[in-house]
């Protein structure tokens, strides 16, 4: 899968999709509202549907906005009904450590036919349990893991080994990248997917020595006309 774009801007998504390098998009209502989507949740819904249509059949993740058990189920059902390639993002637990969330994930995946991306996880053990619950995607916030002084690469390696050993379907999403190097580091460590901001893709493509070399080629060509 490799790269998911973390954006809700249609022009950005079109730009990188046209390059053939995107394998999905992740977003949430906070990002959508911050990026200027108007009309409240109706506007958020319309934008996510637009993104899903643009990316079809590639996956788009959209987050629920509640941590109430029934509310999460109802919202996830609704979100998944907007388009066949939309999956619902649900956090590993509640803000005070409430434990309803994995039960919700299990119900959605096994009884409601809703694909779930479990998010806000900081360790291999959290992701492993989410995978056991049936999650389609398990998102480890690898950049935050590094910020806490732990080694995200090691957590990803451990997690990938566990998923493979136990033949679990979940795919690892390494999220919250902090530097361009994280992308290849985390993929090499075993992540199936890394989420990136648009500027990271630009930084992966453009190299100062490549610019220098291209300029030399063009200058030489101009001299020989």
């Amino acid at each position: 899968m490799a790269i998911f774009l973390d954006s809700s801007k249609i022009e950005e998504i079109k730009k990188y999709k046209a390059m053939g390098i995107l394998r999905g998009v992740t977003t949430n209502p906070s990002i959508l509202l911050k990026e200027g989507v108007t009309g409240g949740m109706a506007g958020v819904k319309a934008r996510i549907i637009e993104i899903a249509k643009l990316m079809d059949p590639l996956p788009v993740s959209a987050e629920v906005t509640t941590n109430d058990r029934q509310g999460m189920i109802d919202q996830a059902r609704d979100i998944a009904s907007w388009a066949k390639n939309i999956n619902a993002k649900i956090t590993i637990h509640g803000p005070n450590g409430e434990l309803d969330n994995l039960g919700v994930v299990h119900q959605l995946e096994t009884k409601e036919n809703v694909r779930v991306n479990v998010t806000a996880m900081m360790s291999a053990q959290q992701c492993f349990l989410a995978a056991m619950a049936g999650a389609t995607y398990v998102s480890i916030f690898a950049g935050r893991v590094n910020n806490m002084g732990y080694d995200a690469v090691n957590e990803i390696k451990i997690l990938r080994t566990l998923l493979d050993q136990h033949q679990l379907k979940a795919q690892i999403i390494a999220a919250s990248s902090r530097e361009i190097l994280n992308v290849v580091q985390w993929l090499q460590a075993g992540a199936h997917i890394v989420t990136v901001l648009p500027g990271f893709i630009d930084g992966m493509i453009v190299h100062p020595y490549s610019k220098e070399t291209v300029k030399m080629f063009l200058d030489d060509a101009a001299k020989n006309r």
Side-chain angles (χ1 to χ4, degrees), residues 80-131:
S81 75
W82 297 346
K84 65 182 183 297
N85 58 325
I86 296 177
N87 56 75
K89 291 168 72 174
I90 293 178
T91 58
I92 180 65
H93 58 64
N96 296 304
E98 297 91 339
L99 297 177
D100 289 334
N101 298 38
L102 287 185
V104 168
V105 171
H106 185 64
Q107 178 172 335
L108 289 169
E109 286 277 4
T110 62
K111 297 179 181 178
E112 309 284 348
N113 196 32
V114 173
R115 305 287 74 81
V116 181
N117 175 359
V118 181
T119 73
M121 293 187 284
M122 309 294 162
S123 69
Q125 64 189 24
Q126 288 178 308
C127 293
F128 177 61
L129 292 178

Side-chain angles (χ1 to χ4, degrees), residues 5-24:
L5 189 68
D6 200 6
S7 175
S8 65
K9 294 181 178 178
I10 297 300
E11 289 309 309
E12 285 181 344
I13 296 169
K14 284 182 177 178
K15 173 183 173 181
Y16 297 106
K17 183 174 184 286
M19 295 180 186
I21 58 179
L22 294 188
R23 298 297 181 267

Side-chain angles (χ1 to χ4, degrees), residues 53-71:
K53 184 177 180 181
L54 175 61
M55 292 301 297
D56 184 51
L58 298 172
V60 174
S61 289
E63 193 160 356
V64 302
T65 59
T66 179
N67 204 72
D68 170 75
R69 181 185 177 89
Q70 192 59 47

Side-chain angles (χ1 to χ4, degrees), residues 142-152:
R144 296 190 184 189
V145 172
N146 285 345
N147 284 352
M148 292 186 294
Y150 299 96
D151 183 3

Side-chain angles (χ1 to χ4, degrees), residues 160-211:
R160 182 60 184 265
T161 298
L162 287 169
L163 296 186
D164 291 346
Q165 283 179 343
H166 294 271
Q167 299 182 327
L168 295 168
K169 70 172 185 177
Q171 292 196 317
I172 302 166
I173 299 178
S176 74
S177 46
R178 297 294 195 256
E179 53 188 358
I180 292 166
L181 180 61
N182 292 154
V183 180
V184 291
Q185 279 182 329
W186 296 346
L187 290 172
Q188 186 180 40
H192 299 89
I193 299 149
V194 176
T195 62
V196 299
L197 296 171
F200 280 61
I201 297 178
D202 294 348
M204 291 175 73
I205 297 170
V206 179
H207 191 288
Y209 285 153
S210 294
K211 290 169 67 176

